Protein backbone atom coordinates (compact mmCIF):
# COMPACT_ATOMS: atom_id res chain seq x y z
CA UNK A 1 0.00 0.00 0.00
CA UNK A 2 1.28 3.50 -0.82
CA UNK A 3 0.64 6.32 1.61
CA UNK A 4 -1.42 9.35 0.59
CA UNK A 5 -0.94 12.45 2.73
CA UNK A 6 -4.11 14.26 3.80
CA UNK A 7 -3.77 18.04 3.91
CA UNK A 8 -6.85 19.59 5.49
CA UNK A 9 -7.68 23.18 4.61
CA UNK A 10 -11.04 23.49 6.41
CA UNK A 11 -9.57 26.23 8.59
CA UNK A 12 -8.18 28.20 5.62
CA UNK A 13 -9.97 27.62 2.29
CA UNK A 14 -13.07 26.41 4.16
CA UNK A 15 -13.12 29.27 6.58
CA UNK A 16 -12.90 31.80 3.72
CA UNK A 17 -16.59 31.13 3.00
CA UNK A 18 -18.72 34.16 4.00
CA UNK A 19 -20.54 33.41 7.25
CA UNK A 20 -18.30 30.46 8.20
CA UNK A 21 -15.78 32.44 10.24
CA UNK A 22 -14.73 30.86 13.53
CA UNK A 23 -13.07 32.43 16.53
CA UNK A 24 -9.74 31.10 17.82
CA UNK A 25 -11.32 28.84 20.46
CA UNK A 26 -13.57 27.24 17.86
CA UNK A 27 -10.65 26.81 15.45
CA UNK A 28 -8.67 25.00 18.14
CA UNK A 29 -11.65 22.72 18.68
CA UNK A 30 -11.71 21.88 14.96
CA UNK A 31 -7.91 21.46 14.82
CA UNK A 32 -8.01 18.97 17.71
CA UNK A 33 -10.81 17.05 16.01
CA UNK A 34 -8.72 16.96 12.81
CA UNK A 35 -5.77 15.63 14.78
CA UNK A 36 -7.93 12.84 16.19
CA UNK A 37 -9.27 12.16 12.72
CA UNK A 38 -5.68 11.54 11.61
CA UNK A 39 -4.97 14.26 9.05
CA UNK A 40 -1.27 14.73 8.24
CA UNK A 41 -1.28 18.49 7.66
CA UNK A 42 -3.59 21.20 9.03
CA UNK A 43 -3.61 24.45 7.07
CA UNK A 44 -4.40 26.71 10.02
CA UNK A 45 -4.76 30.07 8.30
CA UNK A 46 -3.30 32.94 6.30
CA UNK A 47 -1.44 34.85 9.05
CA UNK A 48 -0.78 38.12 7.20
CA UNK A 49 -4.48 38.52 6.32
CA UNK A 50 -5.60 39.58 9.83
CA UNK A 51 -4.47 39.60 13.47
CA UNK A 52 -7.21 37.01 14.16
CA UNK A 53 -5.76 34.62 11.58
CA UNK A 54 -2.25 35.19 12.90
CA UNK A 55 -3.37 34.44 16.44
CA UNK A 56 -5.24 31.30 15.37
CA UNK A 57 -2.13 29.88 13.71
CA UNK A 58 -0.15 30.60 16.91
CA UNK A 59 -2.73 28.95 19.17
CA UNK A 60 -3.36 25.95 16.92
CA UNK A 61 0.42 25.41 16.75
CA UNK A 62 0.49 25.22 20.55
CA UNK A 63 -2.62 23.03 20.86
CA UNK A 64 -1.88 20.35 18.28
CA UNK A 65 0.84 17.72 18.66
CA UNK A 66 1.56 15.52 15.71
CA UNK A 67 0.11 16.94 12.44
CA UNK A 68 2.21 19.45 10.52
CA UNK A 69 0.82 22.98 10.90
CA UNK A 70 0.82 24.92 7.67
CA UNK A 71 0.39 28.66 7.07
CA UNK A 72 -0.56 30.18 3.73
CA UNK A 73 1.23 33.16 2.15
CA UNK A 74 1.35 34.96 -1.15
CA UNK A 75 4.75 34.80 -2.82
CA UNK A 76 5.67 37.96 -0.96
CA UNK A 77 8.53 38.37 1.55
CA UNK A 78 6.44 40.09 4.22
CA UNK A 79 3.75 37.35 4.11
CA UNK A 80 6.41 34.68 4.49
CA UNK A 81 8.03 36.40 7.47
CA UNK A 82 4.67 36.83 9.22
CA UNK A 83 3.80 33.17 8.56
CA UNK A 84 7.16 32.03 9.99
CA UNK A 85 6.50 34.06 13.13
CA UNK A 86 2.97 32.64 13.51
CA UNK A 87 4.36 29.10 13.20
CA UNK A 88 7.02 29.56 15.90
CA UNK A 89 5.35 27.13 18.37
CA UNK A 90 4.49 24.40 15.85
CA UNK A 91 6.24 21.09 16.47
CA UNK A 92 6.19 20.42 12.72
CA UNK A 93 5.73 23.47 10.48
CA UNK A 94 5.22 24.23 6.82
CA UNK A 95 4.98 27.47 4.84
CA UNK A 96 2.63 27.29 1.85
CA UNK A 97 3.62 29.99 -0.60
CA UNK A 98 2.86 30.50 -4.26
CA UNK A 99 1.79 32.60 -7.20
CA UNK A 100 -0.61 32.45 -10.16
CA UNK A 101 0.88 30.68 -13.18
CA UNK A 102 -1.92 30.76 -15.78
CA UNK A 103 -2.09 33.34 -18.57
CA UNK A 104 -5.09 34.89 -16.77
CA UNK A 105 -3.05 35.50 -13.65
CA UNK A 106 0.23 36.46 -15.31
CA UNK A 107 -1.29 38.89 -17.82
CA UNK A 108 -4.29 40.36 -15.98
CA UNK A 109 -3.59 39.93 -12.27
CA UNK A 110 0.15 40.65 -12.29
CA UNK A 111 0.60 42.43 -15.63
CA UNK A 112 3.78 40.36 -15.87
CA UNK A 113 5.60 37.76 -17.97
CA UNK A 114 6.22 34.03 -17.57
CA UNK A 115 9.93 34.67 -16.94
CA UNK A 116 9.27 37.20 -14.17
CA UNK A 117 6.69 34.94 -12.47
CA UNK A 118 9.20 32.07 -12.55
CA UNK A 119 11.79 34.27 -10.84
CA UNK A 120 9.28 35.40 -8.20
CA UNK A 121 8.30 31.76 -7.55
CA UNK A 122 11.91 30.73 -6.97
CA UNK A 123 12.58 33.78 -4.78
CA UNK A 124 9.52 33.02 -2.62
CA UNK A 125 10.61 29.42 -2.01
CA UNK A 126 14.18 30.47 -1.21
CA UNK A 127 12.92 33.08 1.22
CA UNK A 128 10.59 30.60 2.96
CA UNK A 129 13.48 28.10 3.20
CA UNK A 130 15.33 30.57 5.46
CA UNK A 131 12.64 29.98 8.10
CA UNK A 132 11.39 26.41 7.66
CA UNK A 133 12.62 23.21 6.08
CA UNK A 134 9.19 22.16 4.81
CA UNK A 135 8.03 24.54 2.04
CA UNK A 136 5.02 23.90 -0.17
CA UNK A 137 4.61 25.92 -3.35
CA UNK A 138 1.21 26.45 -5.08
CA UNK A 139 0.90 27.28 -8.77
CA UNK A 140 -2.42 29.11 -8.53
CA UNK A 141 -4.79 28.31 -11.42
CA UNK A 142 -2.56 25.40 -12.45
CA UNK A 143 -5.72 23.84 -13.87
CA UNK A 144 -5.64 26.45 -16.67
CA UNK A 145 -1.86 26.72 -16.92
CA UNK A 146 -0.05 25.45 -19.98
CA UNK A 147 1.59 22.13 -19.00
CA UNK A 148 5.00 22.92 -20.50
CA UNK A 149 5.29 26.19 -18.56
CA UNK A 150 3.85 24.54 -15.44
CA UNK A 151 6.56 21.85 -15.62
CA UNK A 152 9.22 24.57 -15.82
CA UNK A 153 7.85 26.26 -12.68
CA UNK A 154 7.55 22.98 -10.79
CA UNK A 155 11.13 22.01 -11.67
CA UNK A 156 12.47 25.42 -10.63
CA UNK A 157 10.69 25.54 -7.27
CA UNK A 158 11.78 21.98 -6.41
CA UNK A 159 15.35 23.00 -7.27
CA UNK A 160 14.89 26.00 -4.93
CA UNK A 161 13.91 23.63 -2.11
CA UNK A 162 10.12 23.08 -2.29
CA UNK A 163 9.21 19.79 -0.57
CA UNK A 164 5.64 19.73 -1.89
CA UNK A 165 4.24 21.32 -5.06
CA UNK A 166 0.54 22.04 -5.15
CA UNK A 167 -1.27 21.92 -8.51
CA UNK A 168 -4.58 23.69 -7.79
CA UNK A 169 -7.55 23.59 -10.10
CA UNK A 170 -8.46 26.95 -8.59
CA UNK A 171 -11.54 27.54 -10.73
CA UNK A 172 -12.82 23.93 -10.76
CA UNK A 173 -12.57 23.91 -14.56
CA UNK A 174 -10.64 20.72 -15.37
CA UNK A 175 -12.19 17.48 -16.55
CA UNK A 176 -10.99 14.49 -14.50
CA UNK A 177 -8.86 12.95 -17.25
CA UNK A 178 -7.38 16.34 -18.18
CA UNK A 179 -6.38 16.98 -14.56
CA UNK A 180 -4.96 13.43 -14.34
CA UNK A 181 -2.96 13.99 -17.54
CA UNK A 182 -1.57 17.21 -16.07
CA UNK A 183 -0.19 15.34 -13.05
CA UNK A 184 1.11 12.57 -15.34
CA UNK A 185 2.82 15.15 -17.55
CA UNK A 186 4.56 16.64 -14.51
CA UNK A 187 5.57 13.21 -13.20
CA UNK A 188 7.12 12.42 -16.59
CA UNK A 189 8.61 15.79 -17.56
CA UNK A 190 9.96 17.32 -14.37
CA UNK A 191 13.44 15.87 -13.95
CA UNK A 192 13.61 16.36 -10.15
CA UNK A 193 9.96 15.44 -9.39
CA UNK A 194 11.06 12.50 -7.18
CA UNK A 195 12.55 15.05 -4.71
CA UNK A 196 9.09 16.46 -3.85
CA UNK A 197 5.48 15.41 -3.49
CA UNK A 198 2.85 16.63 -5.94
CA UNK A 199 -0.39 17.73 -4.32
CA UNK A 200 -3.93 18.08 -5.65
CA UNK A 201 -6.14 21.02 -4.67
CA UNK A 202 -9.43 20.82 -6.58
CA UNK A 203 -12.43 23.12 -6.40
CA UNK A 204 -15.93 21.90 -7.06
CA UNK A 205 -17.42 24.52 -9.40
CA UNK A 206 -18.54 21.87 -11.88
CA UNK A 207 -19.01 19.11 -9.31
CA UNK A 208 -15.79 17.35 -10.31
CA UNK A 209 -13.49 18.06 -7.35
CA UNK A 210 -13.47 14.52 -5.98
CA UNK A 211 -13.15 12.91 -9.43
CA UNK A 212 -10.29 15.28 -10.30
CA UNK A 213 -8.52 14.56 -7.02
CA UNK A 214 -8.74 10.79 -7.52
CA UNK A 215 -7.55 11.19 -11.08
CA UNK A 216 -4.57 13.21 -9.79
CA UNK A 217 -3.77 10.50 -7.24
CA UNK A 218 -3.98 7.72 -9.84
CA UNK A 219 -1.42 9.64 -11.88
CA UNK A 220 1.11 10.17 -9.13
CA UNK A 221 -0.02 12.91 -6.70
CA UNK A 222 0.68 11.76 -3.13
CA UNK A 223 -0.94 14.59 -1.17
CA UNK A 224 -4.57 15.75 -1.43
CA UNK A 225 -5.91 19.07 -0.16
CA UNK A 226 -9.40 18.64 1.19
CA UNK A 227 -11.96 20.07 3.60
CA UNK A 228 -14.54 18.59 5.94
CA UNK A 229 -17.96 18.48 4.24
CA UNK A 230 -16.27 19.88 1.11
CA UNK A 231 -16.72 23.45 2.32
CA UNK A 232 -14.68 26.15 0.61
CA UNK A 233 -14.72 29.09 -1.78
CA UNK A 234 -17.83 29.14 -4.05
CA UNK A 235 -18.92 25.51 -4.66
CA UNK A 236 -16.26 24.30 -2.23
CA UNK A 237 -13.21 22.04 -2.19
CA UNK A 238 -12.78 18.29 -2.46
CA UNK A 239 -14.30 16.73 0.62
CA UNK A 240 -12.04 14.78 2.94
CA UNK A 241 -14.66 12.17 3.79
CA UNK A 242 -15.25 11.27 0.14
CA UNK A 243 -11.55 10.70 -0.58
CA UNK A 244 -11.03 8.71 2.64
CA UNK A 245 -14.01 6.45 1.93
CA UNK A 246 -13.21 5.99 -1.77
CA UNK A 247 -9.78 4.67 -0.79
CA UNK A 248 -11.27 2.49 1.94
CA UNK A 249 -13.89 1.03 -0.41
CA UNK A 250 -11.43 0.56 -3.29
CA UNK A 251 -8.58 -1.33 -1.67
CA UNK A 252 -7.56 -2.41 -5.18
CA UNK A 253 -6.14 1.10 -5.69
CA UNK A 254 -3.43 0.16 -3.16
CA UNK A 255 -3.41 3.59 -1.58
CA UNK A 256 -4.00 4.23 2.08
CA UNK A 257 -4.42 7.24 4.34
CA UNK A 258 -3.96 7.73 8.04
CA UNK A 259 -7.62 8.73 8.49
CA UNK A 260 -9.54 7.07 11.30
CA UNK A 261 -12.76 6.88 9.31
CA UNK A 262 -14.82 6.23 12.44
CA UNK A 263 -14.25 9.86 13.40
CA UNK A 264 -15.60 11.21 10.10
CA UNK A 265 -19.21 11.70 11.15
CA UNK A 266 -18.51 13.48 14.43
CA UNK A 267 -15.96 15.79 12.76
CA UNK A 268 -18.47 16.57 10.02
CA UNK A 269 -21.17 17.48 12.58
CA UNK A 270 -18.74 19.55 14.62
CA UNK A 271 -17.63 21.63 11.62
CA UNK A 272 -21.19 22.03 10.34
CA UNK A 273 -22.43 23.20 13.72
CA UNK A 274 -19.56 25.55 14.54
CA UNK A 275 -19.68 27.13 11.08
CA UNK A 276 -23.48 27.21 10.91
CA UNK A 277 -23.14 25.52 7.55
CA UNK A 278 -25.79 22.84 7.01
CA UNK A 279 -24.74 19.60 5.30
CA UNK A 280 -27.01 18.86 2.35
CA UNK A 281 -29.13 15.79 3.20
CA UNK A 282 -27.93 13.84 0.15
CA UNK A 283 -24.23 14.71 0.65
CA UNK A 284 -22.08 11.63 0.00
CA UNK A 285 -20.83 9.86 3.15
CA UNK A 286 -22.05 12.39 5.76
CA UNK A 287 -25.48 13.57 4.55
CA UNK A 288 -28.51 12.70 6.66
CA UNK A 289 -29.81 10.43 3.88
CA UNK A 290 -26.45 8.87 2.95
CA UNK A 291 -27.44 5.58 4.61
CA UNK A 292 -31.24 5.94 4.63
CA UNK A 293 -33.05 3.49 2.39
CA UNK A 294 -36.58 4.55 1.57
CA UNK A 295 -37.72 2.35 -1.29
CA UNK A 296 -39.32 -0.94 -0.29
CA UNK A 297 -37.10 -2.94 -2.65
CA UNK A 298 -33.95 -1.44 -1.16
CA UNK A 299 -35.13 -1.89 2.43
CA UNK A 300 -35.93 -5.52 1.77
CA UNK A 301 -32.51 -6.05 0.16
CA UNK A 302 -30.63 -4.40 3.02
CA UNK A 303 -32.51 -6.41 5.64
CA UNK A 304 -31.58 -9.66 3.86
CA UNK A 305 -27.95 -8.63 3.33
CA UNK A 306 -26.65 -5.11 4.02
CA UNK A 307 -24.22 -5.30 1.11
CA UNK A 308 -27.05 -5.66 -1.43
CA UNK A 309 -27.46 -1.89 -1.44
CA UNK A 310 -24.74 -0.51 0.87
CA UNK A 311 -21.10 -0.23 -0.18
CA UNK A 312 -20.06 1.22 3.19
CA UNK A 313 -20.96 0.22 6.70
CA UNK A 314 -22.35 3.31 8.50
CA UNK A 315 -20.27 2.36 11.54
CA UNK A 316 -17.13 2.77 9.39
CA UNK A 317 -17.78 6.51 9.25
CA UNK A 318 -18.78 6.66 12.91
CA UNK A 319 -22.56 6.61 12.58
CA UNK A 320 -23.54 4.65 15.63
CA UNK A 321 -27.17 3.69 15.33
CA UNK A 322 -27.02 2.27 18.86
CA UNK A 323 -25.50 5.38 20.42
CA UNK A 324 -26.96 6.17 23.80
CA UNK A 325 -29.74 8.72 23.43
CA UNK A 326 -29.77 11.29 26.20
CA UNK A 327 -33.00 12.04 28.06
CA UNK A 328 -34.10 14.37 30.87
CA UNK A 329 -32.76 11.82 33.35
CA UNK A 330 -29.21 11.87 31.96
CA UNK A 331 -26.63 13.52 34.18
CA UNK A 332 -23.82 16.01 33.51
CA UNK A 333 -21.29 13.18 33.09
CA UNK A 334 -23.30 11.55 30.28
CA UNK A 335 -23.68 14.89 28.51
CA UNK A 336 -19.98 15.68 28.92
CA UNK A 337 -19.08 12.23 27.55
CA UNK A 338 -21.36 12.64 24.51
CA UNK A 339 -19.93 16.09 23.78
CA UNK A 340 -16.42 14.70 24.05
CA UNK A 341 -17.23 11.89 21.57
CA UNK A 342 -18.41 14.66 19.22
CA UNK A 343 -15.14 16.54 19.65
CA UNK A 344 -16.32 19.21 22.12
CA UNK A 345 -14.42 19.30 25.42
CA UNK A 346 -16.22 21.26 28.16
CA UNK A 347 -15.91 21.53 31.92
CA UNK A 348 -16.92 23.69 34.87
CA UNK A 349 -19.12 26.71 34.14
CA UNK A 350 -19.38 25.97 30.43
CA UNK A 351 -20.68 22.48 31.15
CA UNK A 352 -23.17 23.95 33.66
CA UNK A 353 -24.58 26.37 31.07
CA UNK A 354 -24.91 23.64 28.46
CA UNK A 355 -26.45 21.26 31.01
CA UNK A 356 -29.12 23.82 31.99
CA UNK A 357 -30.00 24.28 28.31
CA UNK A 358 -30.02 20.50 27.94
CA UNK A 359 -32.59 20.12 30.74
CA UNK A 360 -34.80 22.78 29.16
CA UNK A 361 -34.65 21.00 25.80
CA UNK A 362 -35.17 17.56 27.35
CA UNK A 363 -38.38 18.89 28.88
CA UNK A 364 -39.71 19.70 25.43
CA UNK A 365 -38.24 16.82 23.46
CA UNK A 366 -38.03 13.23 24.65
CA UNK A 367 -34.79 12.02 23.05
CA UNK A 368 -31.78 14.26 22.63
CA UNK A 369 -29.61 13.23 19.69
CA UNK A 370 -26.10 14.22 18.57
CA UNK A 371 -27.27 17.19 16.52
CA UNK A 372 -29.18 18.53 19.52
CA UNK A 373 -26.13 18.08 21.75
CA UNK A 374 -23.94 20.06 19.35
CA UNK A 375 -26.56 22.80 19.14
CA UNK A 376 -26.55 23.03 22.93
CA UNK A 377 -22.81 23.66 22.80
CA UNK A 378 -23.64 26.58 20.50
CA UNK A 379 -26.04 27.97 23.14
CA UNK A 380 -23.09 28.34 25.49
CA UNK A 381 -21.48 30.65 22.91
CA UNK A 382 -24.73 32.62 22.53
CA UNK A 383 -24.91 33.14 26.31
CA UNK A 384 -21.90 35.47 25.99
CA UNK A 385 -23.55 37.74 23.42
CA UNK A 386 -24.20 41.40 24.25
CA UNK A 387 -27.88 41.33 23.22
CA UNK A 388 -29.92 38.47 24.70
CA UNK A 389 -33.59 37.60 24.42
CA UNK A 390 -35.25 37.84 27.83
CA UNK A 391 -38.76 36.82 26.77
CA UNK A 392 -40.82 36.56 23.62
CA UNK A 393 -44.59 36.25 23.36
CA UNK A 394 -46.33 35.86 20.02
CA UNK A 395 -50.01 35.49 19.17
CA UNK A 396 -50.95 34.35 15.70
CA UNK A 397 -53.56 32.25 14.03
CA UNK A 398 -56.46 32.28 11.58
CA UNK A 399 -58.48 35.50 11.45
CA UNK A 400 -56.22 37.58 13.73
CA UNK A 401 -53.32 39.90 13.06
CA UNK A 402 -50.10 38.43 14.46
CA UNK A 403 -48.72 40.42 17.36
CA UNK A 404 -45.47 39.97 19.32
CA UNK A 405 -44.00 41.46 22.45
CA UNK A 406 -40.35 41.03 23.24
CA UNK A 407 -37.94 41.84 26.05
CA UNK A 408 -34.20 41.94 25.39
CA UNK A 409 -31.24 42.53 27.66
CA UNK A 410 -28.58 44.81 26.23
CA UNK A 411 -25.43 44.97 28.31
CA UNK A 412 -27.49 44.10 31.41
CA UNK A 413 -30.33 46.61 30.81
CA UNK A 414 -33.84 45.46 29.85
CA UNK A 415 -35.74 46.89 26.85
CA UNK A 416 -39.28 45.96 25.80
CA UNK A 417 -41.42 46.53 22.71
CA UNK A 418 -44.47 45.15 20.89
CA UNK A 419 -45.44 45.14 17.22
CA UNK A 420 -47.69 43.52 14.66
CA UNK A 421 -46.61 41.89 11.41
CA UNK A 422 -47.85 39.83 8.51
CA UNK A 423 -46.80 36.64 10.32
CA UNK A 424 -45.46 35.69 13.77
CA UNK A 425 -41.79 35.99 12.75
CA UNK A 426 -42.40 39.33 11.04
CA UNK A 427 -44.21 40.65 14.15
CA UNK A 428 -41.36 39.51 16.44
CA UNK A 429 -38.70 41.04 14.21
CA UNK A 430 -40.68 44.30 13.94
CA UNK A 431 -40.79 44.47 17.75
CA UNK A 432 -37.06 43.82 17.94
CA UNK A 433 -36.37 46.56 15.38
CA UNK A 434 -38.18 49.06 17.63
CA UNK A 435 -35.53 48.36 20.29
CA UNK A 436 -32.50 48.07 18.02
CA UNK A 437 -32.99 51.07 15.88
CA UNK A 438 -30.40 50.44 13.17
CA UNK A 439 -30.73 50.16 9.43
CA UNK A 440 -30.79 46.43 8.70
CA UNK A 441 -32.35 44.24 6.01
CA UNK A 442 -33.15 40.58 6.22
CA UNK A 443 -31.75 39.06 3.02
CA UNK A 444 -32.04 35.33 3.44
CA UNK A 445 -34.05 33.19 5.82
CA UNK A 446 -33.98 29.38 5.83
CA UNK A 447 -35.68 27.03 8.25
CA UNK A 448 -34.68 23.39 8.58
CA UNK A 449 -35.83 20.73 11.02
CA UNK A 450 -33.12 18.43 12.33
CA UNK A 451 -34.86 15.08 12.18
CA UNK A 452 -38.55 14.55 12.06
CA UNK A 453 -41.59 15.05 14.25
CA UNK A 454 -43.46 18.14 15.38
CA UNK A 455 -41.52 18.29 18.67
CA UNK A 456 -38.19 18.50 16.88
CA UNK A 457 -35.64 21.32 16.99
CA UNK A 458 -35.84 23.73 14.06
CA UNK A 459 -32.66 25.39 12.80
CA UNK A 460 -32.81 28.86 11.29
CA UNK A 461 -30.10 30.50 9.17
CA UNK A 462 -30.39 34.21 8.35
CA UNK A 463 -28.41 36.79 6.45
CA UNK A 464 -28.87 40.34 7.69
CA UNK A 465 -27.42 43.28 5.76
CA UNK A 466 -26.14 46.28 7.73
CA UNK A 467 -24.15 49.18 6.25
CA UNK A 468 -23.38 47.20 3.10
CA UNK A 469 -22.04 44.16 4.99
CA UNK A 470 -23.80 40.80 5.29
CA UNK A 471 -23.92 39.21 8.75
CA UNK A 472 -24.89 35.57 9.27
CA UNK A 473 -27.09 34.49 12.14
CA UNK A 474 -28.13 31.12 13.46
CA UNK A 475 -30.79 29.97 15.91
CA UNK A 476 -32.11 26.59 17.01
CA UNK A 477 -35.15 25.91 19.12
CA UNK A 478 -38.18 23.65 19.33
CA UNK A 479 -40.18 26.88 18.83
CA UNK A 480 -39.52 28.01 15.27
CA UNK A 481 -40.48 31.65 15.93
CA UNK A 482 -38.01 31.78 18.83
CA UNK A 483 -35.34 30.12 16.64
CA UNK A 484 -35.93 32.82 14.00
CA UNK A 485 -35.58 35.66 16.51
CA UNK A 486 -32.46 33.96 17.98
CA UNK A 487 -30.95 33.88 14.48
CA UNK A 488 -31.77 37.56 13.95
CA UNK A 489 -30.29 38.52 17.33
CA UNK A 490 -27.21 36.39 16.61
CA UNK A 491 -26.63 38.36 13.38
CA UNK A 492 -27.22 41.73 15.09
CA UNK A 493 -24.75 40.83 17.85
CA UNK A 494 -22.02 40.80 15.24
CA UNK A 495 -22.35 44.47 14.38
CA UNK A 496 -23.76 45.96 17.60
CA UNK A 497 -20.66 45.68 19.76
O1 LIG B 1 -7.55 27.40 -4.92
C1 LIG B 1 -6.38 27.80 -4.82
O2 LIG B 1 -5.66 28.00 -5.80
C2 LIG B 1 -5.88 28.05 -3.48
C3 LIG B 1 -4.42 28.34 -3.34
C4 LIG B 1 -4.21 29.58 -2.51
C5 LIG B 1 -3.70 27.16 -2.78
O3 LIG B 1 -6.60 27.95 -2.51
ZN1 LIG C 1 -8.42 26.82 -3.02
Amino acid sequence: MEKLFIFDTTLRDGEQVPGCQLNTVEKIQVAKALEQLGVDVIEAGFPVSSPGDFNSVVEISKAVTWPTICALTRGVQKDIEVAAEALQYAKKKRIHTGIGTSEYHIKYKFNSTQEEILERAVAAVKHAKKYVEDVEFYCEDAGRTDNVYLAKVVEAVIKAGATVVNIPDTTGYCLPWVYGEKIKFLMENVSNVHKAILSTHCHNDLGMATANTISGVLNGARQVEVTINGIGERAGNTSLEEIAMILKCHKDLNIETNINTQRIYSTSRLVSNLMNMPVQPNKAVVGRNAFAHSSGIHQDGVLKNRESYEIMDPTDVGIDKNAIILTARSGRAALKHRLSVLGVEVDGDKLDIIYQEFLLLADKKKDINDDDVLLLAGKERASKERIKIDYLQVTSGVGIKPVASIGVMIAGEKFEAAATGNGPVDAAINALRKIINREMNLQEFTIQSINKGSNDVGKVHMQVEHAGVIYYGFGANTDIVTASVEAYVNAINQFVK
Side-chain angles (χ1 to χ4, degrees), residues 12-13 72 96 138 140-141 166 168-170 201 203 225:
R12 202 277 298 168
D13 226 342
L72 184 79
H96 187 191
Y138 63 85
E140 194 176 0
D141 204 15
N166 179 9
D169 182 21
T170 306
H201 179 114
H203 279 270
E225 305 197 2

Side-chain angles (χ1 to χ4, degrees), residues 382-430:
S383 73
K384 296 189 193 113
E385 289 180 339
R386 186 174 144 85
I387 304 173
K388 294 192 192 85
I389 304 170
D390 184 42
Y391 69 84
L392 172 68
Q393 190 180 24
V394 185
T395 312
S396 70
V398 180
I400 56 166
K401 185 146 181 83
V403 54
S405 48
I406 191 166
V408 293
M409 303 299 292
I410 305 180
E413 202 182 332
K414 189 166 175 172
F415 296 84
E416 296 174 292
T420 57
N422 62 11
V425 174
D426 190 45
I429 287 179
N430 288 342

